[in-house]
Amino acid sequence: ETVFLDRPMPCSLCCGGLCLAGWLVGCLFLFLMCKYIRKWNLRKRQPLCQLKLDGPDTVPEDRCPAVLKESKHICTLSACELAARIRDGGCTSEEVVSEYITQIKAVNGTINAAVEERFQQALEEAKLADEKLRSGSPLPPFHGVPCSIKAAFGLTGLRIPHSGVVSRFMDGGTVQEDDQATTVSRLRAAGFIPLCQTNVSELCMWWESSNHVYGVTGNPYDPTRIVGGSSGGEGAIVTACGAPIGLGSDIGGSIRLPSFYNGLFGHKCSGGLIPATGQFPCTTTEDGFRILTSGPLVRHAEDLWPLLKILAGITSGAQTHLGGGEASEPDRIFEAENASL
């Protein structure tokens, strides 16, 4: 015989109510703590090792990106135009690289975008590029043009790819030539000269560029504003005319957000088109390679297409179309064959 209890069970109801209230209070406590800790981390805590350059603490007026834009300064030109000028003798690679280094030193004290530099090596490579040009040897498409690289990519001679404090526990020293990221190797083979590596977010997984190793990167238009992430250092340095183009990576917006926040052109290509080897985060699965992609951040849209082809390893040398005018027949074929990617 079934017996129904018609009396209430106050103990169970009270316990349930107390659990719910406790859960809500706990969530509120965690929210307030996270908010406080984040504010303390971003505004109070000093980074472990900010890059110290011999430039000014604030951007000189004649080095402001807006002034450079108005004056048609060499640091405002597209990579395609710089390549053409160097090739035609309008300027030398050493002059171009020196000017960009001066610009980085002028702005980095304010925006904190460059976190690792290789200025001396870049100047030496620029001198060799000028010697090669004078010798009449065949030249790659972007011969002697400087660039910047996101710190998540392996670059020979600099630190193992990092993403803040966590990755420092896995710090294995400097990148050897064989371990350099595939995309970086392709850019250098195309003639680019890396100047520096730029800041990222912790674990490359946030929409700003702040970590406990190098601190916060500020927006060139307003250093109190964020630059997006995780390729925010690239977005900031390219916007501030510290490099004509930058190399970034993207899973959920890490190229697209910094491009949007800094007024640049950026492109996350179809998954699997550009290799993701030699960078952080790393992946070994086919699905992973289709989610994590690399791509360019540029000031001028005409640089996107030739850079995409170089990064994808589709063309090399003189075959790469540098923009300006109609695309060549191989370009049209590539567009048609890969329309479904």
Side-chain angles (χ1 to χ4, degrees), residues 31 83-84 178 182 202 223 234 306 316:
F31 171 77
D178 292 342
T182 305
E202 288 284 355
E234 284 300 284
S316 61

Side-chain angles (χ1 to χ4, degrees), residues 53-60 63 102-110:
L53 302 176
D54 56 356
D57 294 331
T58 58
V59 181
R63 284 286 172 177
T102 300
Q103 178 67 5
I104 293 174
K105 290 180 178 180
V107 301
N108 204 59
T110 300

